[in-house]
Structure formats: structure tokens, C-alpha cells
Amino acid sequence: MIFMGLFLTGLVSGLIHWLIRRKNGAMLAETLLLHQLFFLGVAMTISFMGHVLMSEEIAAQIGWVSNGFQKELGYVSLGIGICGFLAVKFRGAFWAPIIIISVVFFFGAAFIHLQELIALGNFNPGNALIIIPDLLGPVTLVVLGLLTLRAKRG
């Protein structure tokens, strides 16, 4: 549930940030997107640490057996995490690739977790509960990204 907590933290912190700065014309969607990307960085860095440094424990929580592919997933997570942090510095066109990669990654992960849940009855918390942020995160990124783009073109 840490990933759901980070997702919600990004929304709440973004809203607070916007409420403080809105007198200066800060856009709500852009501010929320900035915070979502930053907390995506936090979440994916945690994912990296889990899949690389605690492979056996994380695999057991998911209902899987640890292997080399899990560590590869950890390094992909680290790359996405670094990009999430860099999103704070680099704005605009830098955000689109992060959103695209994250959407593909998370929807793909959700699909695999759903397959495990339905076909194999894998209701381990690391497999079943992660589906929620795996679906909500990308939808939020796409909606906020499109709203930000629309406002900038507007």
C-alpha cells in the first residue's frame, strides 16, 4: 500500500502547493502533474530497492519466485524513478516521455497481476493490491498531462 500512499501524497501535496501559489497563476493540472511525477520518482526508487536489494522478500509478497528478471525490473524502476526526480528540474516536453513509459509499464504490470489473480488465484497482497495504483497512476498522469498540454496551447 506504500505506492497507493505515495500516489495520494502526490495529489495532496500538489493541491496544497497550488493553493499556496495560485495567486501567481500556477495551473492546477500542471502543479498536480509535477507532484505526481516527483512521487513517481520516489515510488520507483523504492521499487528498485525492493526488487534489487530485497528480491526474495518482495517476490514472496507477490507470490512469485525471485529470479534475474526481477532485478532487471528493479533497474527499469530506477530509470523511471530518476526521470521522475528530473521532472522537477526539466519541464514541458521532458514530461511526455516519462508519462508514456510509465503508462506502458504500469498498464503492462496491471495486466500481468490481473492474469495472475484470475488464472492462478494469486491473491497475495503484492499481486492483488498493487493493481489499484498500477491503474490509477497512469490514468492520472495521462489526464493531467493532457490538461496541462491543453492549457498551454489554449
Side-chain angles (χ1 to χ4, degrees):
M1 290 314 293
I2 190 165
F3 297 108
M4 193 66 201
L6 290 169
F7 170 77
L8 294 173
T9 300
L11 291 177
V12 170
S13 68
L15 183 59
I16 291 168
H17 182 189
W18 179 78
L19 287 170
I20 292 170
R21 294 194 55 213
R22 70 180 169 167
K23 296 175 195 154
N24 299 330
M27 291 179 6
L28 177 58
E30 184 177 9
T31 304
L32 291 174
L33 180 58
L34 172 66
H35 284 253
Q36 282 298 294
L37 290 171
F38 174 80
F39 281 99
L40 170 70
V42 174
M44 296 310 284
T45 302
I46 291 169
S47 177
F48 156 75
M49 291 187 297
H51 286 296
V52 172
L53 304 177
M54 303 180 329
S55 303
E56 298 293 328
E57 296 92 336
I58 297 301
Q61 289 176 10
I62 300 170
W64 294 350
V65 175
S66 183
N67 60 43
F69 286 110
Q70 184 181 3
K71 291 188 183 199
E72 288 181 18
L73 169 65
Y75 287 106
V76 169
S77 297
L78 179 61
I80 295 170
I82 290 169
C83 287
F85 292 130
L86 290 174
V88 175
K89 172 78 175 155
F90 302 105
R91 314 248 174 136
F94 184 80
W95 288 357
I98 301 168
I99 293 170
I100 293 166
I101 290 167
S102 298
V103 166
V104 171
F105 176 77
F106 285 114
F107 277 159
F111 177 74
I112 290 168
H113 289 297
L114 280 168
Q115 276 186 314
E116 286 270 321
L117 193 128
I118 294 167
L120 303 175
N122 182 352
F123 286 92
N124 287 302
N127 187 63
L129 295 178
I130 197 70
I131 294 169
I132 298 167
D134 279 355
L135 295 173
L136 285 178
V139 169
T140 303
L141 291 175
V142 168
V143 168
L144 293 174
L146 291 173
L147 289 172
T148 299
L149 183 62
R150 181 177 174 210
K152 291 202 178 276
R153 288 189 178 172

